[in-house]
């Protein structure tokens, strides 16, 4: 038998009980009413015969005739003499009315309690399922739903099955991520040895006076591979959760200036200025070295899209919720097709530098996210790309 049929059978049973109780009370009231009428007629006849004993035969014959005719319909014969029904029944009529009202109220209360019990049972089940999902969302594992045979049994079973499948999928995804991080680290380490050997050989060739445009070109490519190898190692640490950031007070102005110093040669080479205003002290909780590295990656991106004589602008502001850092250039901005993908690893947009590999911005975002922050980009109305960094207060 299904739960739905059980519920309807229970409701029908409850209604039958209420009707039975009401019927019993109605039968009791009818019996009391008949007993009262009989008592009134009996009392009247007794008083009549005590006053007129000689009328006994006439009274009894009249009662017999009244009984045989079944003359029980409503009669107002005594109204003409100024009598009313409550003169004879008195408090009995009121009592019967009270009993009738009370019986109806009891039946309604009983039925309401049954409906309330059914509703409360459903509400309790919904609250249990909600609490279960809330605890699952907080990261608790090993929780089991106490399955009950009711209308929600199918839903409970599906929720438990879905959560179990999600746990298995999550574990598989974490394992795949760890394997990917390990493979990425292995690739980076494997690249390091030939890159180092090739760099040493090029340096020896330069020391021996062997120099040409080809050697310089190879050297630049080795520098690019070295940067790629370092970025791959960092990404593998981030993916594996092995990159630990120090939590200390970092002055935003200091971090921006240090990033500018590390890019000084590139800025001079391309004739681009850096505008960093010194404002009120704004400190964030984070790792100075990695924060500086992330800022450098953003500045490099702005530098790649800046023309000679241009300026890269910086600004920062702190509020009770977060510290915001803005870095923007005066270039043409990010192409609309590239904007949704600029933070994807190894993605290179239309205006990307030939030496770029598409890791700088994704790495910067990962570093800020590890430090309870975020990184977003947008194009300015007057031209240029603006990067918005927010470091949230703990």
């Amino acid at each position: 038998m299904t739960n739905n049929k059980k519920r309807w059978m229970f409701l029908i049973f409850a209604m039958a009980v209420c009707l039975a109780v009401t019927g019993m009370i109605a039968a009791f009231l009818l019996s009391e009413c008949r007993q009262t009428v009989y008592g009134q007629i009996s009392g009247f006849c007794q008083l009549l015969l005590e006053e007129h004993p000689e009328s006994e035969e006439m009274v009894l014959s009249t009662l017999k005739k009244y009984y045989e005719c079944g003359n029980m319909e409503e009669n107002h014969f005594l109204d003409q003499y100024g009598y009313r029904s409550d003169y004879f029944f008195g408090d009995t009529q009121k009592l019967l009315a009270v009993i009738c009202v009370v019986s109806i109220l009891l039946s309604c209360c009983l039925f309401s309690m049954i409906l309330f019990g059914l509703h409360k049972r459903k509400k309790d089940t919904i609250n249990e399922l909600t609490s279960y999902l809330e605890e699952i969302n907080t990261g608790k594992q090993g929780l089991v739903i106490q399955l009950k045979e009711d209308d929600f049994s199918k839903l409970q079973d599906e929720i438990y099955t879905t959560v179990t499948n999600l746990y298995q999928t999550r574990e598989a995804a974490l394992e795949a991520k760890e394997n990917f991080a390990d493979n990425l680290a292995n690739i980076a380490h494997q690249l390091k040895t030939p890159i180092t050997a090739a760099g040493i050989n090029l340096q020896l060739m330069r020391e021996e006076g062997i120099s040409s445009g080809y050697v310089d070109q190879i050297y630049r490519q080795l520098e690019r591979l070295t940067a790629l190898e370092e970025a791959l190692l960092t990404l593998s640490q981030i993916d594996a959760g092995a990159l630990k950031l120090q939590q200390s007070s970092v002055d935003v102005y200091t971090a921006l200036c240090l990033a500018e110093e590390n890019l000084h040669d590139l800025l001079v080479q391309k004739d681009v200025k850096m505008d960093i205003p010194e404002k009120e002290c704004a400190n964030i909780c984070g790792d100075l070295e990695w924060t500086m590295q992330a800022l450098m990656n953003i500045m490099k991106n702005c530098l790649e899209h800046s023309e000679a004589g241009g300026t890269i602008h910086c600004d920062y502001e702190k509020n009770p919720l977060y510290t915001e850092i803005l870095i923007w250039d005066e270039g043409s901005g990010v192409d609309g097709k590239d904007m949704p993908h600029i933070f994807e690893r190894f993605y290179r947009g239309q205006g990307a530098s030939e030496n770029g590999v598409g890791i700088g911005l994704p790495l910067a975002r990962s570093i800020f996210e590890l430090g309870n922050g975020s990184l977003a980009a947008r194009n300015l109305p007057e031209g240029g790309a603006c990067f918005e960094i927010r470091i949230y207060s703990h």
Side-chain angles (χ1 to χ4, degrees):
M1 184 181 295
T2 62
N3 292 325
N4 194 36
K5 289 184 178 180
K6 289 181 179 180
R7 182 183 64 181
W8 280 108
M9 289 186 65
F10 181 77
L11 287 175
I12 292 173
F13 174 75
M15 293 178 65
V17 171
C18 292
L19 291 174
V21 172
T22 304
M24 292 174 62
I25 295 175
F28 170 77
L29 291 175
L30 180 60
S31 176
E32 287 295 316
C33 184
R34 288 176 176 176
Q35 190 68 27
T36 302
V37 172
Y38 176 78
Q40 291 290 342
I41 294 176
S42 179
F44 173 76
C45 293
Q46 180 182 0
L47 290 175
L48 180 62
L49 292 177
E50 287 177 355
E51 293 291 333
H52 305 280
E54 70 279 3
S55 304
E56 179 178 0
E57 183 177 353
M58 181 189 67
V59 170
L60 293 177
S61 63
T62 303
L63 281 174
K64 184 177 180 181
K65 182 180 180 181
Y66 180 81
Y67 174 75
E68 291 177 348
C69 294
N71 190 17
M72 301 294 292
E73 68 273 6
E74 187 176 1
N75 192 297
H76 299 279
F77 174 76
L78 294 178
D79 289 353
Q80 58 186 322
Y81 300 103
Y83 291 99
R84 296 196 307 270
S85 60
D86 55 345
Y87 288 178
F88 300 95
F89 286 93
D91 293 337
T92 303
Q93 188 177 14
K94 296 179 180 179
L95 179 61
L96 292 175
V98 170
I99 293 175
C100 183
V101 172
V102 170
S103 65
I104 295 174
L105 290 177
L106 286 176
S107 299
C108 293
C109 289
L110 179 61
F111 191 69
S112 298
M113 290 176 63
I114 293 173
L115 292 179
F116 176 76
L118 292 174
H119 175 73
K120 186 177 184 301
R121 186 175 180 182
K122 289 182 179 180
K123 186 176 181 181
D124 291 342
T125 304
I126 293 174
N127 289 336
E128 289 178 6
L129 294 176
T130 303
S131 300
Y132 172 77
L133 292 176
E134 288 176 349
E135 292 180 354
I136 290 295
N137 289 331
T138 58
K140 294 184 179 180
Q141 299 185 13
L143 299 176
V144 179
I145 301 179
Q146 300 297 329
L147 298 177
K148 302 176 182 178
E149 290 297 329
D150 55 17
D151 293 342
F152 294 92
S153 298
K154 181 66 174 177
L155 177 61
Q156 294 176 18
D157 184 61
E158 290 298 326
I159 289 177
Y160 185 71
T161 302
T162 301
V163 170
T164 302
N165 291 335
L166 288 176
Y167 272 135
Q168 294 175 352
T169 303
R170 177 177 177 271
E171 292 175 358
L174 289 176
E175 184 178 358
K177 185 176 181 180
E178 291 177 358
N179 292 335
F180 175 77
D182 292 340
N183 293 333
L184 199 61
N186 290 333
I187 293 173
H189 283 297
Q190 293 297 327
L191 284 173
K192 189 171 186 178
T193 300
I195 290 174
T196 302
I200 293 174
N201 289 329
L202 283 175
Q203 186 66 31
L204 292 174
M205 292 173 64
R206 283 185 170 182
E207 291 177 358
E208 292 177 2
I210 302 174
S211 178
S212 67
Y214 295 109
V215 173
D216 294 336
Q217 185 177 359
I218 294 173
Y219 194 81
R220 286 195 298 269
Q221 294 301 322
L222 282 178
E223 289 181 339
R224 180 185 177 189
L225 287 174
T226 301
L228 175 60
E229 178 262 336
E230 293 175 353
L232 289 176
L233 282 176
T234 303
L235 289 174
S236 66
Q237 289 179 312
I238 293 175
D239 290 340
L243 184 63
K244 303 300 181 182
L245 301 182
Q246 296 181 359
Q247 297 298 317
S248 59
S249 180
V250 176
D251 180 65
V252 174
Y253 177 75
T254 301
L256 289 170
C257 290
L258 289 174
E260 178 192 12
E261 288 181 6
N262 283 273
L263 297 176
H264 178 73
D265 293 340
L266 293 177
L267 291 169
V268 173
Q269 181 181 353
K270 199 167 181 180
D271 189 22
V272 174
K273 298 180 181 179
M274 184 77 70
D275 177 28
I276 305 176
E278 186 174 2
K279 305 172 68 175
E280 294 182 2
C281 181
N283 292 333
I284 59 174
C285 184
D287 188 301
L288 177 58
E289 291 297 325
W290 285 110
T291 300
M292 181 183 66
Q293 181 64 50
L295 293 174
M296 285 174 56
N297 289 350
I298 297 173
M299 292 177 178
K300 283 181 180 179
N301 185 274
C302 292
L303 181 60
E304 291 176 0
H305 296 85
S306 297
E307 300 292 338
T311 302
I312 299 175
H313 303 272
C314 300
D315 195 10
Y316 53 92
E317 185 177 4
K318 187 171 185 177
N319 60 52
L321 297 178
Y322 55 83
T323 299
E324 184 177 61
I325 305 172
L326 300 178
I327 302 175
W328 69 95
D329 57 57
E330 298 176 347
S332 58
V334 181
D335 187 86
K337 296 180 180 178
D338 296 331
M339 183 62 77
H341 308 286
I342 60 173
F343 293 109
E344 295 178 4
R345 295 179 182 180
F346 306 107
Y347 180 82
R348 301 179 71 250
Q350 295 182 6
S353 171
E354 294 181 359
N355 294 327
V357 292
I359 292 182
L361 291 180
L363 182 58
R365 170 178 270 189
S366 298
I367 291 172
F368 284 124
E369 288 178 349
L370 284 176
N372 193 34
S374 64
L375 173 61
R378 58 184 173 88
N379 286 325
L380 298 175
E382 62 274 15
C386 179
F387 294 89
E388 298 177 351
I389 306 162
R390 290 184 178 180
I391 309 297
Y392 295 92
S393 303
H394 291 280

